[in-house]
Amino acid sequence: MPRTAMHASWLLRLRASLACYALLGVPIVLLGLFVYLPVCWAFSKSLFEYEVGGVSAFIGMANYIEFFTADPTTYVALANMLVFTLAAVLIRLTVPLIVAKLILSIPSERWRHVYRVVFLLPVVVSSVAMLLIWQGLVFSHQGLVNELLQYLGLGALRRAWLADPATAMGAVIFIGFPWIGGFEVLIYYAGLSAIPQSVNEAAQLEGCVGLRKFLLIDIPLVLSQLKLMLVLTIIAGIQGFQNLLIVTRGGPGYATFVPGLQMYYNAFSYQRFGYACAIGVVLFGLIFGLTILNMLYFKSSEDIQATA
Amino acid sequence: MNIWRILRQTALGATLVAGAWLLWPARGDDATANRDAAAARAATFTLRVMPGQFYAPGIAPGGVGEVNRAFADVVAAYEQLHPEIKIVLEPSLGNLREYLVTQLSAGTAPDIVMCNVEDVWGDVHKGWYVPLDAYLEEPNPYCAAGQPGAQHWWDQFAYQAISRAKTGPDGKMYCITYDMVETAIFYNKDIFRKVGVTPPTTWDEFEALMCTLRAAGYTPLQMVSVLYCDWALDLFLDQLYAAILPGIDLLKDPVREPYLDGYLDYDEICFLFRKGYFTRRDPRFRELWRQLRRFRSFANKDIATEDILRAFIAQKAAMLWSTSMLAYQLDADPNMDFAWGVFYLPRFTTNTSRYASDVDMCVIGGSGVQYEITNSSYTDTGDPATSRRLRWVIDFLRFLTAPANYTAIVNEHPIQVPNIVGVPVLPLMQPFAEILKRRYTTTKWCYTFDLQFLDVLGRTLPLYLDDHLTLDELLDWQEKNLASACARFERRKQLDFTAMEQRWQALAPQRAPMHDLPAPEGR
């Protein structure tokens, strides 16, 4: 094709797609402005001693050095983060999957639908409201747990569950029990529903049923969903601090302190935005690295089928 | 033309129109909003004021009794007096700190905000707040000739020592102390009568009293953990250090000294820390935490989350440490079925601690509502010196302190003690006003530095009080915290210790007979 004709064709295609580009342009600009630009800004500010409204001085890697060598809260926070993330991974990769499998096992489509709705319904409750309910009604001084212990004659075990260093972390992990109201159930349900009927029939013919089928056939075939949940849970575990800010503010002492809170307090309470940016960059690196590892070494069901 | 193309272009056009419509500023159609908008347009300046939760119109203080009206009435009177000024009242917010940081950095904060001035000090070097010293020396035009305030606005304030003690780390005043708050031990008179005890006169009696109450099956005292970091710590520190102040109080301020005799400022504490004070080598510092731990043993089991009022109202606890606001709440509660009274904490004796200074407990309350002026107030010129808008903001604050207006606002409910000369103290507030006549504290320890210092203290002290940290572990945290705070302040304020070192040498003879001072490092 002659060069001018090619050029004209490209222009025609561009003109035909102009509306799409225009529609896409707005969100891309907004995304760049409000997501990517602040990220780049944070990278740059992590090299400064910087507080909003104050002077900004370039200090090189000093913020990173302080984070890893001088800040007494860093390793406590990282250790707490590890525990919270592992607990979240364990919970979100097992309980909702079991519930999804149980729902799928219900013979009646109508009742399956009812259960799906019932398990999804808690999603509409504001997470802040839910956390305040747990904090104020379940774990408080006059809360459900303490009153139940009192009723059972175990009043000596009453305690400030979220304010006692021995129990605070466990209590925080326990929040949301039995951890089944959420999108996870639906995602796993969708994955399990997508297993071809022929596979289920073949398994039945071979006598692979019940727990054996769940472990050997269902789980490998929902690995894509598990992989997605794993990535999302790790990201949320490393980034997340909002729940802890509401429920314990990282206390008692530093018993539930995590790097996200460390970042928040340094930014908005201690006014050390440069240091907070450095913590943010470290967390970004951690998430990025773990996500790459996950992509490389955690096989999805498609990968398994491709290699089979 | 292709139908899909037409649809696409129509969709694009519709999206753009819808987007523009959404982004267009909304126009209120409400009659009140229109009237307000018209008034604001007619006004030369619209001032935004955050009165705070105690005086905000429409709020019932403490959740009991009638709602506030007086502040709105005073605002209306001001607008009538100055039609060119429109006042808009802003609500109080929960997370004020975060709100102010974002609003101030954008220059959109209210002109007058109400927050503890200690929260402001960390930001004063950024020019976010207006120093009020010069304005406080000027006359208040709303004070009649010959009355306090007619020559210097400062003279209007009744509690001079406390009001003037609110100077920032740079020595400037960033707030007016609008009213005073004081704390006291609230006690159940019926329980005291039943158990056969009376309010104590010494700390030893106080401890004996609490032992008796506990033996009788009552929780002696209801406290929350934050009170140990703030009120109790300051009182105990004063009790232990007051006797050695003549040897360690280094700075004399010709302006503030009459009011702040013996007060240890942040720079003095930085210097003394270098000399071993407030470290584990300082016996008084060790004793401070031990006494706090001992005091904690008389209080409710759960100092972190318990609603401390509940057990007191239910008559399971005999005493409660709280502020004057509680007096109003108890008084206004129609269901109260016991008699209550208040007393102040008694002095340590040498039997309590060998380091006791044997002086009466100092004031621990102090400034209640504090108003600060933000950088929004001079947006008309960008310069406080030339800003007409700022003059109006100051003028409104002065109007708020005019005795008649002040009485209407502060005495609308008996919740705070007036801080303006000549304004009557309501009977319910009288015991608190009496307490406020005591001398001022040695230092406000937890507010001496910044929020980082306060945060670490607030996290670690409760752990020690509940036996999750040993004294040595706590001292390790406190030393590191103080070292870190001193380093930040020395860097930020570029502190020069030369004058203090000279004064330190000059005070050596005063210190010579004093016992148990911290040994120099290495000895």
Side-chain angles (χ1 to χ4, degrees), chain B residues 257-271:
Chain B
E257 197 61 20
Y259 310 102
L260 285 179
D261 191 21
Y263 188 80
L264 296 179
D265 260 323
Y266 67 95
D267 43 359
E268 289 169 296
I269 289 175
C270 286
F271 180 85

Side-chain angles (χ1 to χ4, degrees), chain B residues 43-58:
Chain B
T44 309
F45 294 115
T46 299
L47 311 183
R48 293 165 60 212
V49 177
M50 185 188 283
Q53 57 187 354
F54 287 133
Y55 303 126

Side-chain angles (χ1 to χ4, degrees), chain A:
Chain A
M1 191 184 285
R3 193 180 174 85
T4 49
M6 273 180 68
H7 187 66
S9 155
W10 180 82
L11 275 178
L12 275 173
R13 275 189 286 129
L14 179 67
R15 202 175 151 199
S17 313
L18 202 56
C20 297
Y21 283 118
L23 282 169
L24 275 175
V26 176
I28 285 173
V29 168
L30 292 175
L31 191 72
L33 201 60
F34 292 110
V35 177
Y36 288 104
L37 194 63
V39 169
C40 298
W41 182 86
F43 270 90
S44 130
K45 284 298 174 192
S46 70
L47 304 174
F48 287 78
E49 183 175 334
Y50 169 67
E51 57 177 303
V52 169
V55 289
S56 184
F58 181 77
I59 52 170
M61 299 298 285
N63 282 329
Y64 293 96
I65 293 167
E66 182 184 342
F67 178 74
F68 284 113
T69 63
D71 191 331
T73 63
T74 295
Y75 291 103
V76 178
L78 285 171
N80 290 341
M81 182 195 77
L82 186 67
V83 174
F84 282 128
T85 307
L86 285 175
V89 166
L90 194 69
I91 289 166
R92 295 179 71 180
L93 261 56
T94 55
V95 183
L97 180 63
I98 293 167
V99 170
K101 178 65 183 171
L102 290 174
I103 296 175
L104 198 68
S105 309
I106 296 170
S108 160
E109 171 55 35
R110 180 187 290 177
W111 281 106
R112 281 206 296 270
H113 179 76
V114 168
Y115 274 100
R116 283 204 305 272
V117 171
V118 166
F119 283 113
L120 189 65
L121 216 53
V123 173
V124 301
V125 178
S126 154
S127 61
V128 174
M130 191 268 287
L131 289 166
L132 291 177
I133 285 170
W134 277 89
Q135 184 198 42
L137 296 182
V138 181
F139 286 132
S140 69
H141 183 74
Q142 305 282 349
L144 180 69
V145 178
N146 280 341
E147 291 301 306
L148 198 62
L149 288 169
Q150 187 76 37
Y151 179 75
L152 295 173
L154 300 168
L157 295 177
R158 287 169 63 103
R159 60 179 66 217
W161 296 94
L162 288 166
D164 185 332
T167 57
M169 186 176 272
V172 168
I173 291 170
F174 198 75
I175 286 177
F177 179 83
W179 313 294
I180 49 178
F183 284 109
E184 297 93 337
V185 173
L186 277 194
I187 288 171
Y188 292 134
Y189 183 87
L192 291 168
S193 306
I195 296 174
Q197 192 55 32
S198 56
V199 174
N200 289 328
E201 285 166 0
Q204 201 160 15
L205 282 173
E206 295 292 333
C208 183
V209 289
L211 184 63
R212 197 155 163 253
K213 176 177 179 286
F214 181 63
L215 294 173
L216 297 178
I217 293 178
D218 292 346
I219 288 181
L221 290 177
V222 293
L223 276 181
S224 302
Q225 285 75 18
L226 286 168
K227 186 175 179 177
L228 172 72
M229 291 312 304
L230 182 67
V231 172
L232 292 178
T233 306
I234 288 172
I235 290 173
I238 295 173
Q239 280 183 336
F241 67 90
Q242 303 91 326
N243 295 357
L244 293 165
L245 183 67
I246 292 166
V247 175
T248 63
R249 299 186 75 82
Y254 293 93
T256 59
F257 203 68
V258 292
L261 272 177
Q262 195 181 2
M263 179 175 68
Y264 174 83
Y265 278 114
N266 273 286
F268 294 105
S269 193
Y270 311 159
Q271 300 262 323
R272 299 189 64 204
F273 271 81
Y275 187 57
C277 286
I279 298 172
V281 170
V282 171
L283 294 184
F284 168 81
L286 202 57
I287 291 170
F288 190 71
L290 286 172
T291 307
I292 294 289
L293 284 177
N294 186 38
M295 303 297 280
L296 286 175
Y297 295 108
F298 194 103
K299 287 187 162 64
S300 65
S301 49
E302 289 80 4
D303 297 333
I304 291 172
Q305 281 166 3
T307 52

